[in-house]
Amino acid sequence: MSSYGIVGVNPGSLKVIRDMQQFKRVHVHDKYKTSLTPFKNVETFPTVADMTLNMNGPRTIATFINPDDYEHENTMDQIIEWCDKEDTIININTEHFDSSNKHASKCEEKGIHYLTGGLSEKLLIVDGKMEIVDAQEIFFRTFAKRLVHTDGEPGTAHLVKTVHEAMECTMYQVYAEVFGYFNQDSSILKMLGEATKTDINGPILKTAIRKMYEAPSTEDIAQENLWSTWCSVHALNTGVCAPILQSNANARSMSRDIKLTETSQKFNKFVDNLVALQTIRFMYAMIYIEATRICPAIKNCIEMSAIECDLFKNEDPYDVIEQTTTYAKTFSVHCIHANIPSPSVQAGLCEYYFWSQTKTSMNFIASLRV
């Protein structure tokens, strides 16, 4: 009789544990000893060894370990050490996609099946051998309504998840800039309410509306988002143009940068709901184009995910851009006039200007190398 385990407790894995325990008994190891008493079909263990020894074979273990955990590599090594041939490890860690090859090699030496995966809402993105994915489908279906298999290469799912998360974070960055456009005032909620009736309605918009109530009392410093950084580096390494996705990582860094000795808050008197709404649509389309350049597989990883919306599913992004560019330009001018930073919108417009000019000023840069 096979058994199922989870290593690492965080918001993502808690949802998995909650859903799984309704159908199957779940073995959980969490070094922080998070209380899981509300879940009736869960058994917790203090160490990886205890958990695996109390599981029947063949085991299926999903890992949810954060990369900033200093024991991250050690924990993965312990799981591999205590697993046996024909067990399956599904790596859903928050880790760089290049790390998967190392884990895969160690698993292959022991005859352990190895998959990597990424979760977003009810979507599970997974890679690895198709026969192993098929064998684990019952397990996956206990917590995911939709399953997308990328390919047989370990780490591909982590790459897709990285770009997916970078898209999500950049979409939130757009809402942050629109919040600034509205002078960080609750009057933004009327416009966001109107937006729920359009093709940008989805989990991101709903979360943005909810968080606008909390934003004024939250510290004005953003922490680094590893996925955004990894996505930016990957785009640079592969020569893919992605200034908007990179602007999200840059904006987070700028929020932690030095402040001038005398600061002030400017007031934007040009607030326009239609300009703001159409600017969001412009940015959604631009973000989609950049993300699919970096990772074409992202096109099949939108339905039932956090970034799901009708614009991504039903619209031609280039048509949307042509319809909304003037609004985005107006938004940018308003922000510049009021000294309000809008790095992602300006990056999007800059990229659009490069597309729309027959010849750009880059011929000067090229001339320096002649």
Side-chain angles (χ1 to χ4, degrees):
M1 182 75 177
S2 58
S3 57
Y4 300 89
I6 300 290
V7 175
V9 175
N10 54 40
S13 64
L14 276 172
K15 293 177 183 178
V16 172
I17 294 167
R18 178 199 63 197
D19 293 344
M20 279 184 59
Q21 56 92 35
Q22 298 178 55
F23 305 97
K24 299 178 180 295
R25 182 146 191 83
V26 185
H27 303 74
V28 178
H29 163 62
D30 172 40
K31 73 172 189 175
Y32 299 109
K33 300 178 181 178
T34 305
S35 175
L36 299 175
T37 50
F39 304 127
K40 303 302 181 184
N41 205 18
V42 173
E43 188 174 359
T44 59
F45 300 90
T47 67
V48 170
D50 285 333
M51 186 187 79
T52 51
L53 288 172
N54 282 278
M55 293 175 67
N56 298 323
R59 307 175 184 88
T60 297
I61 298 176
T63 63
F64 293 80
I65 311 170
N66 294 321
D68 53 356
D69 186 333
Y70 69 95
E71 293 183 351
H72 166 255
E73 291 295 332
N74 186 41
T75 303
M76 287 300 295
D77 287 342
Q78 286 179 32
I79 296 167
I80 295 169
E81 176 67 28
W82 286 99
C83 280
D84 299 318
K85 186 177 180 180
E86 299 302 325
D87 287 349
T88 301
I89 296 174
I90 303 154
N91 180 346
I92 313 181
N93 298 343
T94 307
E95 71 177 350
H96 195 280
F97 39 88
D98 285 343
S99 300
S100 287
N101 288 324
K102 179 173 56 179
H103 302 317
S105 297
K106 293 177 180 177
C107 287
E108 188 175 8
E109 291 174 3
K110 291 194 65 178
I112 299 168
H113 305 303
Y114 178 80
L115 309 173
T116 64
L119 267 173
S120 180
E121 295 288 320
K122 289 298 182 180
L123 169 69
L124 174 64
I125 307 160
V126 67
D127 60 35
K129 295 179 180 178
M130 194 67 218
E131 59 267 27
I132 306 303
V133 174
D134 288 341
Q136 295 297 332
E137 185 167 3
I138 294 175
F139 170 69
F140 295 144
R141 295 296 181 184
T142 62
F143 60 88
K145 288 186 178 178
R146 183 165 181 258
L147 178 66
V148 174
H149 178 247
T150 55
D151 58 27
E153 293 298 317
T156 306
H158 277 172
L159 173 59
V160 177
K161 174 65 173 175
T162 295
V163 179
H164 203 281
E165 287 289 327
M167 284 183 73
E168 184 177 337
C169 291
T170 308
M171 289 159 73
Y172 282 127
Q173 172 64 27
V174 172
Y175 284 105
E177 293 174 22
V178 174
F179 184 46
Y181 177 81
F182 278 84
N183 299 301
Q184 301 179 35
D185 186 78
S186 60
S187 59
I188 188 178
L189 292 168
K190 180 180 179 182
M191 185 277 295
L192 295 179
E194 294 170 358
T196 60
K197 303 170 186 176
T198 72
D199 56 6
I200 63 170
N201 188 37
I204 294 286
L205 174 58
K206 290 182 173 66
T207 301
I209 291 172
R210 187 173 70 252
K211 291 297 181 181
M212 287 300 169
Y213 293 96
E214 304 173 18
S217 60
T218 306
E219 189 177 31
D220 192 34
I221 298 175
Q223 301 302 313
E224 179 185 16
N225 181 281
L226 288 171
W227 275 308
S228 294
T229 303
W230 294 338
C231 181
S232 297
V233 172
H234 179 71
L236 290 169
N237 287 340
T238 54
V240 176
C241 177
I244 303 171
L245 296 180
Q246 290 164 0
S247 73
N248 171 58
N250 291 336
R252 288 170 176 267
S253 297
M254 284 188 283
S255 77
R256 303 191 299 271
D257 207 350
I258 189 170
K259 292 273 190 180
L260 296 176
T261 53
E262 293 187 14
T263 60
S264 61
Q265 209 70 18
K266 304 299 182 181
F267 183 80
N268 176 26
K269 63 182 180 181
F270 300 108
V271 172
D272 186 300
N273 283 12
L274 182 61
V275 166
L277 176 55
Q278 294 300 334
T279 297
I280 296 171
R281 294 185 71 240
F282 170 82
M283 291 303 298
Y284 268 44
M286 293 293 292
I287 290 167
Y288 180 84
I289 289 170
E290 284 196 0
T292 52
R293 280 189 198 141
I294 298 173
C295 182
I298 205 79
K299 294 178 182 179
N300 195 36
C301 299
I302 290 175
E303 185 181 351
M304 294 192 183
S305 76
I307 62 173
E308 181 178 30
C309 66
D310 286 342
L311 190 149
F312 290 158
K313 294 190 296 182
N314 303 328
E315 302 286 349
D316 182 328
Y318 291 99
D319 287 345
V320 174
I321 289 166
E322 289 304 316
Q323 297 161 11
T324 58
T325 302
T326 300
Y327 294 100
K329 292 176 182 177
T330 304
F331 179 94
S332 180
V333 170
H334 288 172
C335 288
I336 291 169
H337 187 273
N339 295 344
I340 295 170
S342 56
S344 71
V345 175
Q346 289 175 0
L349 285 169
C350 183
E351 185 173 2
Y352 175 80
Y353 296 151
F354 265 88
W355 297 350
S356 59
Q357 281 197 314
T358 303
K359 188 175 182 180
T360 71
S361 58
M362 293 307 291
N363 57 339
F364 171 75
I365 299 297
S367 71
L368 300 178
R369 305 183 68 88
V370 176

